[in-house]
Amino acid sequence: MVDHVLALAATWTAWDGRPVPADDRIYTPHKAIRRVADHMVDHLAEMEARLVGEETQPDHWHASATTTEADLAPFTEADLDEARSRLTRLARIWANRLDALTPDQLDGSPGTGWTFRQLAFHLEGSAYYADSVGNLAADRASADRPDRTPKP
């Protein structure tokens, strides 16, 4: 999932500053990266709490319902470098944590909620945020198209 997100993000320096509508929300390059990272952190915190027998902390993020001023900023090469560092490190933490679990821990996870294996596969859905912004290099080729609503 992270490789897919970063491949799309590599095209986002071409973003024209117009938020992209998707379903009932709007997305921007920064918002997509924020949502992918937040989703990974949220479920990592859930898994860690359950492993040590703690109650999970509910998140208080506004998620994709909110578009911040920072989300509307231009997406530069430096932002892409930051996204690569952030997301690849989070992916590595996930891989290391999952590799340390036994099959019983993956499929018979403590606490309530999805198993840890299900959580890991659930995170794959985070690609939605990046897919909502899309491949902007391809969009640049069709810049005359006023609506860049992502196709399912």
Tab-separated table of all heavy atoms in Angstrom, residues 43-57 110 116:
chain	number	residue	atom	x	y	z
A	43	HIS	N	-4.058	2.503	14.008
A	43	HIS	CA	-4.172	1.055	14.193
A	43	HIS	C	-2.921	0.455	14.841
A	43	HIS	O	-3.013	-0.560	15.533
A	43	HIS	CB	-4.521	0.371	12.875
A	43	HIS	CG	-5.957	0.599	12.499
A	43	HIS	ND1	-7.007	0.232	13.300
A	43	HIS	CD2	-6.505	1.205	11.420
A	43	HIS	CE1	-8.149	0.567	12.733
A	43	HIS	NE2	-7.865	1.172	11.578
A	44	LEU	N	-1.782	1.077	14.665
A	44	LEU	CA	-0.586	0.629	15.377
A	44	LEU	C	-0.769	0.846	16.878
A	44	LEU	O	-0.459	-0.033	17.693
A	44	LEU	CB	0.651	1.369	14.867
A	44	LEU	CG	1.985	0.944	15.463
A	44	LEU	CD1	2.290	-0.526	15.148
A	44	LEU	CD2	3.098	1.844	14.925
A	45	ALA	N	-1.289	2.001	17.246
A	45	ALA	CA	-1.561	2.276	18.665
A	45	ALA	C	-2.582	1.289	19.215
A	45	ALA	O	-2.438	0.814	20.359
A	45	ALA	CB	-2.057	3.710	18.827
A	46	GLU	N	-3.588	0.968	18.425
A	46	GLU	CA	-4.581	-0.030	18.847
A	46	GLU	C	-3.915	-1.378	19.109
A	46	GLU	O	-4.129	-2.005	20.146
A	46	GLU	CB	-5.668	-0.185	17.781
A	46	GLU	CG	-6.643	-1.307	18.080
A	46	GLU	CD	-7.583	-1.627	16.932
A	46	GLU	OE1	-7.565	-0.919	15.901
A	46	GLU	OE2	-8.348	-2.600	17.074
A	47	MET	N	-3.093	-1.829	18.173
A	47	MET	CA	-2.438	-3.127	18.309
A	47	MET	C	-1.526	-3.145	19.527
A	47	MET	O	-1.543	-4.094	20.316
A	47	MET	CB	-1.653	-3.469	17.035
A	47	MET	CG	-0.960	-4.824	17.104
A	47	MET	SD	-0.299	-5.404	15.519
A	47	MET	CE	0.653	-4.037	14.970
A	48	GLU	N	-0.733	-2.114	19.714
A	48	GLU	CA	0.197	-2.072	20.845
A	48	GLU	C	-0.554	-2.081	22.177
A	48	GLU	O	-0.154	-2.769	23.112
A	48	GLU	CB	1.113	-0.855	20.742
A	48	GLU	CG	2.112	-0.925	19.588
A	48	GLU	CD	3.077	-2.100	19.684
A	48	GLU	OE1	3.513	-2.446	20.803
A	48	GLU	OE2	3.394	-2.680	18.632
A	49	ALA	N	-1.637	-1.326	22.268
A	49	ALA	CA	-2.421	-1.303	23.508
A	49	ALA	C	-3.004	-2.684	23.792
A	49	ALA	O	-2.921	-3.176	24.931
A	49	ALA	CB	-3.537	-0.263	23.409
A	50	ARG	N	-3.557	-3.312	22.798
A	50	ARG	CA	-4.157	-4.637	22.996
A	50	ARG	C	-3.109	-5.666	23.386
A	50	ARG	O	-3.377	-6.545	24.194
A	50	ARG	CB	-4.915	-5.043	21.736
A	50	ARG	CG	-6.211	-4.222	21.566
A	50	ARG	CD	-6.891	-4.441	20.244
A	50	ARG	NE	-7.152	-5.852	19.983
A	50	ARG	CZ	-7.499	-6.315	18.785
A	50	ARG	NH1	-7.622	-5.484	17.754
A	50	ARG	NH2	-7.731	-7.595	18.618
A	51	LEU	N	-1.917	-5.557	22.818
A	51	LEU	CA	-0.855	-6.521	23.157
A	51	LEU	C	-0.435	-6.443	24.618
A	51	LEU	O	-0.041	-7.451	25.206
A	51	LEU	CB	0.369	-6.303	22.259
A	51	LEU	CG	0.262	-6.916	20.874
A	51	LEU	CD1	1.388	-6.391	19.978
A	51	LEU	CD2	0.281	-8.438	20.942
A	52	VAL	N	-0.505	-5.257	25.205
A	52	VAL	CA	-0.099	-5.118	26.610
A	52	VAL	C	-1.296	-5.100	27.554
A	52	VAL	O	-1.147	-4.846	28.754
A	52	VAL	CB	0.797	-3.876	26.845
A	52	VAL	CG1	2.083	-3.993	26.043
A	52	VAL	CG2	0.068	-2.587	26.534
A	53	GLY	N	-2.487	-5.363	27.025
A	53	GLY	CA	-3.666	-5.479	27.867
A	53	GLY	C	-4.301	-4.172	28.278
A	53	GLY	O	-5.087	-4.124	29.221
A	54	GLU	N	-3.990	-3.103	27.581
A	54	GLU	CA	-4.601	-1.808	27.868
A	54	GLU	C	-5.850	-1.614	27.023
A	54	GLU	O	-5.988	-2.210	25.958
A	54	GLU	CB	-3.642	-0.662	27.538
A	54	GLU	CG	-2.448	-0.552	28.429
A	54	GLU	CD	-1.540	0.618	28.034
A	54	GLU	OE1	-1.825	1.294	27.018
A	54	GLU	OE2	-0.550	0.831	28.729
A	55	GLU	N	-6.704	-0.722	27.503
A	55	GLU	CA	-7.829	-0.285	26.676
A	55	GLU	C	-7.260	0.557	25.540
A	55	GLU	O	-6.293	1.287	25.730
A	55	GLU	CB	-8.804	0.567	27.495
A	55	GLU	CG	-9.583	-0.225	28.526
A	55	GLU	CD	-10.555	-1.209	27.879
A	55	GLU	OE1	-11.231	-0.833	26.883
A	55	GLU	OE2	-10.624	-2.356	28.356
A	56	THR	N	-7.883	0.459	24.393
A	56	THR	CA	-7.428	1.293	23.278
A	56	THR	C	-7.911	2.713	23.496
A	56	THR	O	-8.963	2.941	24.090
A	56	THR	CB	-7.935	0.760	21.929
A	56	THR	OG1	-9.358	0.712	21.956
A	56	THR	CG2	-7.388	-0.625	21.650
A	57	GLN	N	-7.118	3.660	23.030
A	57	GLN	CA	-7.480	5.076	23.121
A	57	GLN	C	-8.288	5.456	21.897
A	57	GLN	O	-7.830	5.235	20.772
A	57	GLN	CB	-6.229	5.955	23.129
A	57	GLN	CG	-5.617	6.154	24.453
A	57	GLN	CD	-4.501	7.193	24.342
A	57	GLN	OE1	-3.893	7.376	23.299
A	57	GLN	NE2	-4.237	7.859	25.442
A	110	PRO	N	-5.531	-10.471	21.171
A	110	PRO	CA	-6.189	-10.148	22.435
A	110	PRO	C	-7.076	-8.901	22.314
A	110	PRO	O	-6.896	-8.078	21.423
A	110	PRO	CB	-5.019	-9.866	23.388
A	110	PRO	CG	-3.912	-9.416	22.498
A	110	PRO	CD	-4.103	-10.188	21.219
A	116	PHE	N	-5.182	-8.961	14.433
A	116	PHE	CA	-4.079	-8.137	13.935
A	116	PHE	C	-3.840	-8.386	12.457
A	116	PHE	O	-3.471	-7.476	11.713
A	116	PHE	CB	-2.811	-8.376	14.748
A	116	PHE	CG	-2.966	-7.975	16.200
A	116	PHE	CD1	-2.244	-8.616	17.185
A	116	PHE	CD2	-3.831	-6.959	16.591
A	116	PHE	CE1	-2.368	-8.254	18.515
A	116	PHE	CE2	-3.971	-6.585	17.914
A	116	PHE	CZ	-3.239	-7.238	18.890
